[in-house]
Amino acid sequence: MAGTVDAARCRSCGRLSYPTHFYCPACHCRDFDPVPIEGEGTLLTWTRVYALPLDYAQLYLTLGIVELDMGVRAMGRLDIDEPVTGARVRATVGVVREIGGREVEGLVFGTA
Amino acid sequence: MRDVAIVGAGSTQFGRSQWSLLKLMCEASNEALGDASLGDRRIDAVYVANMGSVRNNRQAGLASALVDRLNVFPAAAETIENGPASGASAVKHGVQAVASGMCDLVLVCGGERMQEVNAFESTEFVSYLSHRYAEYVYGVTLPALAGLFARLYMERHGIRPEHLAMVAIKNHANGARNPRAHLQTPVTMEGILTGPDAFMNNPFIADPLRFFDCCPVSDGASAVLLAPAEMAGELARTPVRVAGIGQATDCQAVHERPDPAELPAVRLAAQRAFAMAGIEPSGVDVAELHDAFTILEIAESEEAGFFGRGEAAGALERGETRIDGRLPINPSGGLKARGHPVGNTGVSQIVELVRQLRGEAGNYQVPGDPRHGFALNFGGFGNNVLATVLERGV
Ligand SMILES: [Zn+2]
Protein backbone atom coordinates (compact mmCIF):
# COMPACT_ATOMS: atom_id res chain seq x y z
CA MET A 1 0.00 0.00 0.00
CA ALA A 2 2.70 2.48 1.00
CA GLY A 3 4.31 4.19 -1.99
CA THR A 4 7.65 5.88 -2.12
CA VAL A 5 8.96 9.36 -1.49
CA ASP A 6 11.40 10.05 -4.28
CA ALA A 7 14.56 12.07 -4.57
CA ALA A 8 15.75 12.93 -8.09
CA ARG A 9 19.03 11.84 -9.68
CA CYS A 10 20.20 14.10 -12.50
CA ARG A 11 20.74 12.13 -15.71
CA SER A 12 23.50 14.46 -16.75
CA CYS A 13 25.68 14.96 -13.66
CA GLY A 14 24.37 12.35 -11.23
CA ARG A 15 23.54 14.88 -8.49
CA LEU A 16 20.88 13.59 -6.09
CA SER A 17 18.35 16.24 -4.99
CA TYR A 18 15.49 16.29 -2.55
CA PRO A 19 13.08 17.91 -2.94
CA THR A 20 13.03 17.92 -6.72
CA HIS A 21 13.73 21.04 -8.75
CA PHE A 22 12.81 22.02 -12.28
CA TYR A 23 16.51 22.42 -13.13
CA CYS A 24 19.29 20.38 -11.55
CA PRO A 25 20.86 22.58 -8.83
CA ALA A 26 24.32 21.43 -9.96
CA CYS A 27 24.26 21.46 -13.80
CA HIS A 28 20.94 23.00 -14.89
CA CYS A 29 19.91 19.85 -16.78
CA ARG A 30 16.22 18.96 -16.44
CA ASP A 31 16.06 15.18 -16.85
CA PHE A 32 15.94 13.13 -13.69
CA ASP A 33 15.40 9.56 -12.55
CA PRO A 34 13.38 9.02 -9.38
CA VAL A 35 15.30 7.43 -6.51
CA PRO A 36 13.21 6.27 -3.54
CA ILE A 37 14.34 7.65 -0.20
CA GLU A 38 15.16 4.63 1.94
CA GLY A 39 17.63 3.09 4.32
CA GLU A 40 19.31 4.49 7.37
CA GLY A 41 20.55 7.89 8.34
CA THR A 42 21.51 10.18 11.20
CA LEU A 43 19.15 12.54 12.99
CA LEU A 44 20.51 16.07 12.43
CA THR A 45 17.92 17.97 14.48
CA TRP A 46 14.39 17.49 15.77
CA THR A 47 11.52 19.31 17.45
CA ARG A 48 8.32 18.41 19.21
CA VAL A 49 5.84 20.98 18.02
CA TYR A 50 2.64 21.88 19.85
CA ALA A 51 1.62 24.76 17.54
CA LEU A 52 -0.21 22.66 14.97
CA PRO A 53 -2.07 23.75 11.87
CA LEU A 54 -5.63 22.74 10.99
CA ASP A 55 -6.94 19.18 10.99
CA TYR A 56 -4.69 17.70 13.67
CA ALA A 57 -6.36 15.89 16.58
CA GLN A 58 -3.12 15.08 18.42
CA LEU A 59 -1.44 17.31 21.01
CA TYR A 60 1.94 17.45 19.28
CA LEU A 61 3.99 16.24 16.34
CA THR A 62 7.60 15.11 16.47
CA LEU A 63 9.51 16.21 13.38
CA GLY A 64 13.13 15.88 12.38
CA ILE A 65 15.70 16.44 9.67
CA VAL A 66 17.66 13.32 8.77
CA GLU A 67 20.98 13.05 6.97
CA LEU A 68 20.44 9.85 4.95
CA ASP A 69 23.33 7.54 4.15
CA MET A 70 22.14 7.53 0.50
CA GLY A 71 23.26 11.16 0.22
CA VAL A 72 20.30 13.49 0.75
CA ARG A 73 18.71 15.15 3.75
CA ALA A 74 14.98 14.96 4.36
CA MET A 75 12.37 16.27 6.74
CA GLY A 76 10.01 13.69 8.19
CA ARG A 77 7.80 12.59 11.04
CA LEU A 78 9.73 10.90 13.86
CA ASP A 79 8.24 7.73 15.30
CA ILE A 80 10.64 7.91 18.25
CA ASP A 81 9.61 8.64 21.85
CA GLU A 82 12.85 10.27 23.03
CA PRO A 83 14.75 11.59 20.01
CA VAL A 84 18.43 12.50 20.38
CA THR A 85 20.45 14.33 17.75
CA GLY A 86 23.00 12.03 16.18
CA ALA A 87 20.77 8.96 16.64
CA ARG A 88 20.66 6.38 13.87
CA VAL A 89 17.23 6.18 12.24
CA ARG A 90 15.55 4.21 9.44
CA ALA A 91 13.23 5.68 6.79
CA THR A 92 9.77 4.24 6.10
CA VAL A 93 6.76 5.66 4.28
CA GLY A 94 3.39 6.16 5.93
CA VAL A 95 0.37 8.44 6.06
CA VAL A 96 1.47 11.79 7.49
CA ARG A 97 -1.49 14.09 6.89
CA GLU A 98 -5.00 14.28 5.60
CA ILE A 99 -5.52 17.19 3.22
CA GLY A 100 -9.04 17.83 1.94
CA GLY A 101 -10.18 14.32 2.94
CA ARG A 102 -7.27 12.70 1.09
CA GLU A 103 -4.51 10.84 2.92
CA VAL A 104 -1.01 12.04 2.05
CA GLU A 105 2.00 9.77 2.49
CA GLY A 106 5.41 10.88 3.58
CA LEU A 107 8.60 9.88 5.35
CA VAL A 108 8.39 8.43 8.84
CA PHE A 109 11.66 7.80 10.66
CA GLY A 110 11.99 5.14 13.36
CA THR A 111 14.93 3.97 15.46
CA ALA A 112 17.36 1.97 13.30
CA MET B 1 19.53 56.78 -9.36
CA ARG B 2 18.22 59.51 -7.06
CA ASP B 3 18.70 59.40 -3.30
CA VAL B 4 15.44 58.66 -1.50
CA ALA B 5 14.30 59.93 1.87
CA ILE B 6 11.55 59.07 4.32
CA VAL B 7 9.59 62.26 4.96
CA GLY B 8 6.66 60.83 6.91
CA ALA B 9 6.04 57.86 9.18
CA GLY B 10 3.09 56.51 11.12
CA SER B 11 1.65 53.42 12.71
CA THR B 12 -1.33 52.14 14.64
CA GLN B 13 -1.43 50.48 18.01
CA PHE B 14 -0.38 46.82 17.71
CA GLY B 15 -2.34 43.99 19.25
CA ARG B 16 -5.94 42.93 18.84
CA SER B 17 -7.74 45.67 17.00
CA GLN B 18 -11.42 46.54 16.71
CA TRP B 19 -10.62 48.17 13.38
CA SER B 20 -10.94 46.50 9.98
CA LEU B 21 -7.79 45.87 7.96
CA LEU B 22 -8.49 48.87 5.72
CA LYS B 23 -9.25 51.12 8.68
CA LEU B 24 -5.93 50.12 10.26
CA MET B 25 -4.12 50.93 7.01
CA CYS B 26 -5.95 54.25 6.60
CA GLU B 27 -5.05 55.35 10.14
CA ALA B 28 -1.35 54.48 9.66
CA SER B 29 -1.31 56.19 6.25
CA ASN B 30 -3.06 59.24 7.65
CA GLU B 31 -0.41 59.58 10.33
CA ALA B 32 2.42 59.24 7.78
CA LEU B 33 0.84 61.78 5.39
CA GLY B 34 0.14 64.21 8.22
CA ASP B 35 3.70 63.82 9.44
CA ALA B 36 5.00 65.42 6.20
CA SER B 37 4.39 68.99 5.06
CA LEU B 38 2.71 67.95 1.82
CA GLY B 39 0.78 71.06 0.93
CA ASP B 40 -1.22 70.29 -2.21
CA ARG B 41 1.29 67.80 -3.60
CA ARG B 42 -0.19 64.55 -4.94
CA ILE B 43 0.80 60.99 -4.13
CA ASP B 44 2.15 59.31 -7.26
CA ALA B 45 2.04 55.70 -6.12
CA VAL B 46 0.90 53.48 -3.25
CA TYR B 47 2.58 50.20 -2.35
CA VAL B 48 0.81 47.97 0.14
CA ALA B 49 2.43 45.09 2.03
CA ASN B 50 0.20 42.27 3.22
CA MET B 51 0.35 38.51 3.38
CA GLY B 52 -3.06 37.13 4.26
CA SER B 53 -5.91 39.42 3.29
CA VAL B 54 -7.35 37.13 0.63
CA ARG B 55 -7.61 34.22 3.03
CA ASN B 56 -8.12 35.97 6.37
CA ASN B 57 -10.07 39.12 5.51
CA ARG B 58 -11.78 38.22 2.20
CA GLN B 59 -10.21 41.26 0.59
CA ALA B 60 -8.11 41.22 -2.57
CA GLY B 61 -6.59 44.22 -4.34
CA LEU B 62 -5.76 45.93 -1.06
CA ALA B 63 -3.69 48.75 -2.59
CA SER B 64 -6.56 49.73 -4.93
CA ALA B 65 -8.93 49.71 -1.96
CA LEU B 66 -6.56 51.89 0.09
CA VAL B 67 -6.27 54.44 -2.74
CA ASP B 68 -10.08 54.57 -2.78
CA ARG B 69 -10.42 55.15 0.99
CA LEU B 70 -7.63 57.75 1.02
CA ASN B 71 -8.92 59.52 -2.08
CA VAL B 72 -5.54 59.70 -3.74
CA PHE B 73 -6.75 58.86 -7.26
CA PRO B 74 -5.30 58.30 -9.79
CA ALA B 75 -2.17 57.16 -7.91
CA ALA B 76 -0.60 53.94 -9.15
CA ALA B 77 -1.24 51.10 -6.70
CA GLU B 78 0.23 47.66 -6.09
CA THR B 79 -0.08 45.10 -3.33
CA ILE B 80 3.06 43.15 -2.50
CA GLU B 81 2.94 39.70 -0.96
CA ASN B 82 6.37 38.44 0.02
CA GLY B 83 5.49 36.46 3.12
CA PRO B 84 6.77 37.93 6.38
CA ALA B 85 9.19 40.07 4.32
CA SER B 86 6.33 41.81 2.46
CA GLY B 87 6.89 45.02 4.44
CA ALA B 88 10.54 45.57 3.52
CA SER B 89 9.76 44.44 -0.04
CA ALA B 90 7.10 47.12 -0.39
CA VAL B 91 9.50 49.75 0.98
CA LYS B 92 12.12 48.56 -1.51
CA HIS B 93 9.71 48.89 -4.43
CA GLY B 94 8.71 52.34 -3.25
CA VAL B 95 12.36 53.37 -3.01
CA GLN B 96 13.03 52.03 -6.52
CA ALA B 97 10.07 53.96 -7.91
CA VAL B 98 11.38 57.24 -6.45
CA ALA B 99 15.04 56.51 -7.17
CA SER B 100 14.28 55.78 -10.83
CA GLY B 101 12.57 59.12 -11.27
CA MET B 102 9.23 57.53 -12.23
CA CYS B 103 7.58 58.80 -9.03
CA ASP B 104 8.17 61.64 -6.59
CA LEU B 105 5.84 60.92 -3.67
CA VAL B 106 5.22 57.28 -2.76
CA LEU B 107 3.17 56.00 0.15
CA VAL B 108 4.14 52.56 1.46
CA CYS B 109 1.70 50.96 3.86
CA GLY B 110 1.93 47.54 5.52
CA GLY B 111 -1.12 46.08 7.21
CA GLU B 112 -2.29 42.75 8.55
CA ARG B 113 -5.33 41.74 10.57
CA MET B 114 -5.02 38.20 11.87
CA GLN B 115 -7.75 37.98 14.47
CA GLU B 116 -10.50 37.27 11.98
CA VAL B 117 -9.25 33.68 11.97
CA ASN B 118 -8.49 31.42 14.94
CA ALA B 119 -5.01 30.35 16.09
CA PHE B 120 -5.07 27.09 14.09
CA GLU B 121 -6.01 28.92 10.91
CA SER B 122 -3.38 31.62 11.36
CA THR B 123 -0.69 28.96 12.02
CA GLU B 124 -1.95 27.10 8.96
CA PHE B 125 -1.89 30.10 6.63
CA VAL B 126 1.65 31.08 7.66
CA SER B 127 2.73 27.43 7.14
CA TYR B 128 1.90 27.84 3.42
CA LEU B 129 5.36 29.41 3.23
CA SER B 130 6.92 25.98 3.70
CA HIS B 131 7.75 23.54 0.89
CA ARG B 132 4.51 21.87 -0.13
CA TYR B 133 5.78 18.30 -0.58
CA ALA B 134 8.91 18.22 1.56
CA GLU B 135 7.67 20.18 4.60
CA TYR B 136 4.00 21.24 4.63
CA VAL B 137 2.61 17.70 4.32
CA TYR B 138 4.30 16.79 7.62
CA GLY B 139 2.39 19.48 9.48
CA VAL B 140 5.43 21.74 9.48
CA THR B 141 4.68 25.21 10.82
CA LEU B 142 6.92 28.23 11.23
CA PRO B 143 7.43 27.41 14.94
CA ALA B 144 8.46 23.87 13.88
CA LEU B 145 11.09 25.20 11.47
CA ALA B 146 12.30 27.58 14.18
CA GLY B 147 12.51 24.72 16.69
CA LEU B 148 14.55 22.57 14.27
CA PHE B 149 16.87 25.51 13.57
CA ALA B 150 17.14 26.45 17.24
CA ARG B 151 18.29 23.00 18.35
CA LEU B 152 20.99 22.93 15.67
CA TYR B 153 22.17 26.47 16.35
CA MET B 154 22.16 26.07 20.12
CA GLU B 155 24.07 22.78 20.05
CA ARG B 156 26.66 24.13 17.66
CA HIS B 157 27.26 27.52 19.28
CA GLY B 158 26.69 26.83 22.95
CA ILE B 159 23.49 28.89 23.20
CA ARG B 160 21.56 27.96 26.35
CA PRO B 161 17.84 28.40 27.11
CA GLU B 162 18.91 31.29 29.39
CA HIS B 163 20.15 33.18 26.33
CA LEU B 164 16.83 32.76 24.55
CA ALA B 165 15.08 33.97 27.71
CA MET B 166 17.41 37.01 27.84
CA VAL B 167 16.16 38.05 24.39
CA ALA B 168 12.55 37.71 25.52
CA ILE B 169 13.19 39.58 28.77
CA LYS B 170 14.99 42.44 26.97
CA ASN B 171 12.34 42.78 24.27
CA HIS B 172 9.45 42.61 26.74
CA ALA B 173 11.18 45.30 28.83
CA ASN B 174 11.50 47.44 25.69
CA GLY B 175 7.89 46.76 24.69
CA ALA B 176 6.80 47.93 28.13
CA ARG B 177 8.27 51.36 27.23
CA ASN B 178 6.59 51.50 23.81
CA PRO B 179 2.98 52.69 24.15
CA ARG B 180 2.05 51.08 20.81
CA ALA B 181 3.52 47.65 21.55
CA HIS B 182 1.24 44.61 21.54
CA LEU B 183 2.80 43.22 24.74
CA GLN B 184 3.73 45.77 27.39
CA THR B 185 4.28 43.39 30.31
CA PRO B 186 7.84 42.80 31.51
CA VAL B 187 8.86 39.19 32.18
CA THR B 188 11.60 37.80 34.43
CA MET B 189 14.07 34.91 34.25
CA GLU B 190 12.37 33.41 37.28
CA GLY B 191 8.93 33.74 35.72
CA ILE B 192 9.77 32.14 32.38
CA LEU B 193 12.71 29.82 33.01
CA THR B 194 14.10 29.24 36.49
CA GLY B 195 11.23 29.71 38.97
CA PRO B 196 8.89 27.00 40.30
CA ASP B 197 6.03 28.00 37.96
CA ALA B 198 8.23 28.83 34.98
CA PHE B 199 7.36 25.83 32.86
CA MET B 200 3.67 26.27 33.53
CA ASN B 201 3.93 29.93 32.48
CA ASN B 202 6.18 29.07 29.57
CA PRO B 203 5.36 25.69 28.01
CA PHE B 204 7.09 24.24 24.95
CA ILE B 205 5.73 25.42 21.60
CA ALA B 206 8.38 23.75 19.44
CA ASP B 207 10.99 22.16 21.71
CA PRO B 208 13.52 23.73 22.49
CA LEU B 209 11.45 26.90 21.91
CA ARG B 210 8.90 27.86 24.54
CA PHE B 211 5.90 30.17 24.52
CA PHE B 212 7.99 33.24 25.40
CA ASP B 213 10.41 32.45 22.58
CA CYS B 214 7.65 33.10 20.04
CA CYS B 215 6.12 36.38 18.90
CA PRO B 216 2.40 37.03 19.34
CA VAL B 217 -0.16 37.08 16.52
CA SER B 218 -0.94 40.77 16.05
CA ASP B 219 -3.06 43.19 14.09
CA GLY B 220 -1.61 46.50 13.01
CA ALA B 221 -0.48 48.80 10.23
CA SER B 222 2.42 51.15 9.54
CA ALA B 223 3.21 53.55 6.74
CA VAL B 224 6.04 55.67 5.40
CA LEU B 225 6.04 58.44 2.83
CA LEU B 226 9.01 58.47 0.43
CA ALA B 227 10.32 61.39 -1.59
CA PRO B 228 13.45 62.30 -3.57
CA ALA B 229 16.15 63.47 -1.18
CA GLU B 230 16.36 66.83 -2.96
CA MET B 231 12.70 67.51 -2.04
CA ALA B 232 13.00 66.15 1.48
CA GLY B 233 14.03 69.42 3.12
CA GLU B 234 10.70 71.06 2.17
CA LEU B 235 8.66 68.07 3.32
CA ALA B 236 10.18 67.03 6.63
CA ARG B 237 11.91 68.63 9.58
CA THR B 238 14.25 65.64 9.94
CA PRO B 239 14.33 63.56 6.77
CA VAL B 240 15.83 60.09 6.97
CA ARG B 241 17.70 58.81 3.94
CA VAL B 242 17.31 55.24 2.75
CA ALA B 243 21.04 54.62 2.52
CA GLY B 244 21.10 50.96 1.55
CA ILE B 245 18.85 48.03 0.71
CA GLY B 246 19.98 44.43 0.27
CA GLN B 247 17.97 41.32 -0.51
CA ALA B 248 18.82 37.64 -0.93
CA THR B 249 16.99 34.34 -1.36
CA ASP B 250 17.76 30.75 -0.38
CA CYS B 251 16.41 27.18 -0.71
CA GLN B 252 12.74 26.89 0.24
CA ALA B 253 13.18 23.55 2.04
CA VAL B 254 15.31 24.29 5.10
CA HIS B 255 16.86 20.80 5.12
CA GLU B 256 18.26 21.27 1.62
CA ARG B 257 20.50 24.23 2.48
CA PRO B 258 24.21 23.39 2.42
CA ASP B 259 24.23 23.98 6.19
CA PRO B 260 20.77 24.17 7.79
CA ALA B 261 22.33 25.88 10.83
CA GLU B 262 23.23 28.94 8.77
CA LEU B 263 21.15 31.77 7.32
CA PRO B 264 23.16 32.83 4.27
CA ALA B 265 20.34 35.00 2.90
CA VAL B 266 20.56 37.10 6.07
CA ARG B 267 24.31 37.45 5.65
CA LEU B 268 24.06 38.38 1.97
CA ALA B 269 21.17 40.80 2.36
CA ALA B 270 23.03 42.59 5.17
CA GLN B 271 26.31 42.68 3.23
CA ARG B 272 24.55 44.17 0.20
CA ALA B 273 22.74 46.79 2.28
CA PHE B 274 25.98 47.79 4.05
CA ALA B 275 27.86 47.95 0.75
CA MET B 276 25.21 50.21 -0.80
CA ALA B 277 25.20 52.44 2.29
CA GLY B 278 28.99 52.52 2.44
CA ILE B 279 29.11 51.64 6.14
CA GLU B 280 30.25 48.68 8.23
CA PRO B 281 28.05 46.84 10.76
CA SER B 282 30.03 48.68 13.46
CA GLY B 283 28.60 51.95 12.11
CA VAL B 284 25.05 50.98 13.10
CA ASP B 285 23.63 52.77 16.15
CA VAL B 286 20.28 50.99 16.46
CA ALA B 287 18.85 47.82 14.89
CA GLU B 288 15.41 46.28 14.50
CA LEU B 289 15.83 42.55 13.80
CA HIS B 290 13.19 39.96 12.90
CA ASP B 291 12.78 38.19 16.24
CA ALA B 292 9.70 36.15 15.35
CA PHE B 293 11.53 33.61 17.53
CA THR B 294 14.17 34.58 20.10
CA ILE B 295 16.76 32.33 18.43
CA LEU B 296 16.42 34.45 15.28
CA GLU B 297 17.53 37.66 17.00
CA ILE B 298 20.66 35.83 18.15
CA ALA B 299 21.42 34.19 14.79
CA GLU B 300 20.58 37.30 12.73
CA SER B 301 22.77 39.54 14.89
CA GLU B 302 25.69 37.23 14.07
CA GLU B 303 24.87 36.68 10.38
CA ALA B 304 24.42 40.44 9.83
CA GLY B 305 27.93 40.98 11.20
CA PHE B 306 27.19 42.75 14.50
CA PHE B 307 28.84 39.93 16.44
CA GLY B 308 31.19 37.12 15.49
CA ARG B 309 29.79 33.61 15.27
CA GLY B 310 28.89 32.38 18.74
CA GLU B 311 29.42 35.82 20.30
CA ALA B 312 25.83 37.08 20.49
CA ALA B 313 25.22 35.11 23.69
CA GLY B 314 28.05 36.89 25.50
CA ALA B 315 26.79 40.25 24.22
CA LEU B 316 23.37 39.44 25.67
CA GLU B 317 24.91 38.49 29.01
CA ARG B 318 26.73 41.84 29.10
CA GLY B 319 23.59 43.78 28.17
CA GLU B 320 25.17 45.15 24.99
CA THR B 321 21.90 44.94 23.05
CA ARG B 322 19.72 46.73 25.61
CA ILE B 323 18.43 50.24 24.89
CA ASP B 324 21.40 51.70 26.78
CA GLY B 325 23.88 49.15 25.42
CA ARG B 326 26.59 49.38 22.77
CA LEU B 327 24.19 48.24 20.00
CA PRO B 328 20.53 48.47 21.00
CA ILE B 329 18.57 45.71 19.24
CA ASN B 330 14.79 45.92 19.02
CA PRO B 331 14.29 48.95 21.29
CA SER B 332 10.66 48.97 20.07
CA GLY B 333 10.14 45.53 21.62
CA GLY B 334 10.71 43.80 18.28
CA LEU B 335 8.29 41.27 16.86
CA LYS B 336 8.40 39.61 20.27
CA ALA B 337 6.71 42.47 22.12
CA ARG B 338 5.79 45.21 19.63
CA GLY B 339 4.02 42.46 17.73
CA HIS B 340 4.09 40.74 14.35
CA PRO B 341 1.28 41.60 11.95
CA VAL B 342 3.03 39.39 9.41
CA GLY B 343 2.96 41.30 6.12
CA ASN B 344 3.19 44.61 7.96
CA THR B 345 6.31 43.98 10.03
CA GLY B 346 8.98 45.22 7.62
CA VAL B 347 7.27 48.63 7.40
CA SER B 348 6.92 48.78 11.19
CA GLN B 349 10.64 48.20 11.59
CA ILE B 350 11.39 51.15 9.29
CA VAL B 351 8.91 53.39 11.13
CA GLU B 352 10.51 52.47 14.47
CA LEU B 353 13.97 53.30 13.13
CA VAL B 354 12.74 56.64 11.78
CA ARG B 355 11.45 57.50 15.27
CA GLN B 356 14.83 56.55 16.76
CA LEU B 357 16.87 58.52 14.20
CA ARG B 358 14.69 61.60 14.66
CA GLY B 359 15.00 61.30 18.44
CA GLU B 360 11.22 60.92 18.77
CA ALA B 361 10.99 57.48 20.39
CA GLY B 362 10.11 58.83 23.83
CA ASN B 363 10.48 56.27 26.62
CA TYR B 364 12.30 53.82 24.37
CA GLN B 365 14.61 56.35 22.72
CA VAL B 366 18.14 55.05 22.23
CA PRO B 367 20.58 57.56 23.76
CA GLY B 368 23.42 59.30 21.92
CA ASP B 369 21.63 60.75 18.86
CA PRO B 370 21.69 57.59 16.72
CA ARG B 371 22.53 58.35 13.11
CA HIS B 372 22.43 54.95 11.37
CA GLY B 373 19.64 52.39 11.74
CA PHE B 374 19.48 48.84 10.43
CA ALA B 375 16.38 46.71 9.81
CA LEU B 376 16.26 43.02 8.98
CA ASN B 377 13.01 41.56 7.63
CA PHE B 378 13.08 37.75 7.39
CA GLY B 379 10.70 36.02 4.98
CA GLY B 380 9.72 32.36 4.90
CA PHE B 381 12.19 30.63 7.11
CA GLY B 382 15.09 32.69 5.82
CA ASN B 383 14.51 32.02 2.13
CA ASN B 384 13.79 35.68 1.28
CA VAL B 385 15.44 38.31 3.42
CA LEU B 386 15.71 42.09 3.16
CA ALA B 387 18.07 44.39 5.01
CA THR B 388 17.67 48.17 5.07
CA VAL B 389 20.11 50.82 6.28
CA LEU B 390 18.73 54.26 7.19
CA GLU B 391 20.69 57.43 7.84
CA ARG B 392 19.51 60.61 9.57
CA GLY B 393 19.65 63.63 7.26
CA VAL B 394 19.91 63.82 3.46
ZN1 LIG C 1 22.86 17.81 -12.87
Side-chain angles (χ1 to χ4, degrees):
Chain A
M1 154 79 201
T4 58
V5 173
D6 293 337
R9 187 177 300 285
C10 173
R11 285 188 185 161
S12 168
C13 76
R15 153 90 175 237
L16 196 58
S17 307
Y18 177 75
T20 57
H21 295 262
F22 190 78
Y23 294 124
C24 170
C27 77
H28 230 58
C29 161
R30 49 176 291 196
D31 294 316
F32 303 92
D33 291 313
V35 179
I37 292 179
E38 58 188 12
E40 292 189 10
T42 304
L43 185 59
L44 185 67
T45 182
W46 61 275
T47 185
R48 186 156 286 160
V49 59
Y50 297 81
L52 299 182
L54 290 172
D55 306 328
Y56 279 96
Q58 55 267 64
L59 187 61
Y60 60 79
L61 290 171
T62 310
L63 303 170
I65 295 177
V66 171
E67 198 119 45
L68 287 137
D69 296 347
M70 64 184 283
V72 285
R73 283 192 220 109
M75 169 94 68
R77 174 87 56 81
L78 299 188
D79 189 14
I80 302 170
D81 286 338
E82 297 293 333
V84 180
T85 54
R88 293 293 291 168
V89 299
R90 173 175 290 282
T92 59
V93 173
V95 173
V96 291
R97 189 167 188 174
E98 196 173 290
I99 299 175
R102 200 170 57 84
E103 288 184 336
V104 178
E105 292 186 331
L107 294 167
V108 180
F109 296 101
T111 302
Chain B
M1 268 205 342
R2 304 192 288 181
D3 268 351
V4 179
I6 297 168
V7 295
S11 75
T12 63
Q13 180 74 39
F14 297 98
R16 290 180 73 82
S17 179
Q18 300 304 308
W19 290 343
S20 72
L21 176 58
L22 272 162
K23 167 82 167 161
L24 284 163
M25 291 169 47
C26 286
E27 291 288 350
S29 300
N30 179 58
E31 194 174 297
L33 295 168
D35 187 34
S37 314
L38 273 184
D40 54 5
R41 292 184 183 84
R42 303 174 74 94
I43 303 298
D44 296 312
V46 174
Y47 289 90
V48 164
N50 169 269
M51 179 175 167
S53 74
V54 172
R55 184 176 205 275
N56 299 339
N57 317 101
R58 297 170 190 255
Q59 175 76 61
L62 266 188
S64 325
L66 183 64
V67 163
D68 173 79
R69 302 304 188 278
L70 295 176
N71 246 329
V72 291
F73 311 111
E78 270 104 27
T79 306
I80 287 167
E81 190 278 298
N82 192 22
S86 300
S89 274
V91 172
K92 184 192 81 170
H93 282 279
V95 168
Q96 288 174 333
V98 177
S100 71
M102 281 190 72
C103 298
D104 281 337
L105 288 177
V106 171
L107 177 71
V108 181
C109 180
E112 198 83 58
R113 191 171 192 270
M114 309 273 283
Q115 67 169 279
E116 269 156 79
V117 295
N118 65 37
F120 293 104
E121 285 172 328
S122 63
T123 303
E124 165 81 9
F125 116 80
V126 179
S127 77
Y128 292 164
L129 289 162
S130 65
H131 193 290
R132 181 82 188 177
Y133 301 106
E135 295 179 331
Y136 173 81
V137 296
Y138 297 101
V140 162
T141 58
L142 268 285
L145 293 174
L148 292 163
F149 174 80
R151 185 178 306 282
L152 261 182
Y153 204 88
M154 291 170 78
E155 285 184 357
R156 193 174 298 179
H157 302 297
I159 312 278
R160 298 192 310 273
E162 288 83 345
H163 296 120
L164 303 184
M166 283 176 204
V167 174
I169 291 163
K170 169 180 69 71
N171 291 354
H172 273 257
N174 294 351
R177 299 160 74 156
N178 179 352
R180 302 200 195 194
H182 182 169
L183 305 175
Q184 300 185 25
T185 325
V187 295
T188 63
M189 189 63 82
E190 198 189 3
I192 65 172
L193 196 67
T194 57
D197 297 328
F199 290 173
M200 221 155 61
N201 300 335
N202 194 15
F204 279 125
I205 297 296
D207 185 353
L209 299 178
R210 295 177 174 278
F211 180 77
F212 281 99
D213 292 309
C214 307
C215 66
V217 175
S218 317
D219 308 330
S222 298
V224 290
L225 185 65
L226 304 172
E230 71 249 24
M231 279 173 60
E234 302 158 37
L235 298 168
R237 199 154 19 98
T238 312
V240 171
R241 191 172 70 92
V242 181
I245 296 178
Q247 182 173 16
T249 49
D250 196 4
C251 296
Q252 187 184 21
V254 170
H255 73 249
E256 203 190 7
R257 298 179 188 165
D259 184 347
E262 297 197 356
L263 300 170
V266 172
R267 197 180 319 146
L268 264 176
Q271 282 170 1
R272 289 171 173 175
F274 286 129
M276 182 172 164
I279 67 165
E280 299 288 325
S282 58
V284 170
D285 304 308
V286 52
E288 289 282 335
L289 303 185
H290 195 107
D291 59 330
F293 305 97
T294 49
I295 186 67
L296 285 182
E297 181 175 307
I298 293 173
E300 288 163 4
S301 69
E302 295 179 354
E303 294 280 18
F306 297 120
F307 304 108
R309 185 69 86 188
E311 290 173 6
L316 273 165
E317 289 168 7
R318 293 186 294 275
E320 289 179 20
T321 56
R322 294 196 310 230
I323 284 182
D324 57 357
R326 181 169 69 82
L327 173 65
I329 294 180
N330 288 324
S332 71
L335 284 61
K336 179 71 199 75
R338 184 191 67 245
H340 185 25
V342 189
N344 149 274
T345 282
V347 184
S348 293
Q349 292 177 317
I350 301 296
V351 168
E352 292 293 358
L353 290 177
V354 168
R355 289 182 182 142
Q356 292 290 346
L357 299 181
R358 289 173 171 181
E360 293 172 357
N363 277 338
Y364 61 105
Q365 177 65 46
V366 164
D369 292 329
R371 179 159 170 246
H372 285 112
F374 175 89
L376 191 104
N377 194 192
F378 183 91
F381 197 80
N383 65 337
N384 197 331
V385 178
L386 286 103
T388 310
V389 175
L390 302 183
E391 181 178 34
R392 177 166 31 86
V394 286

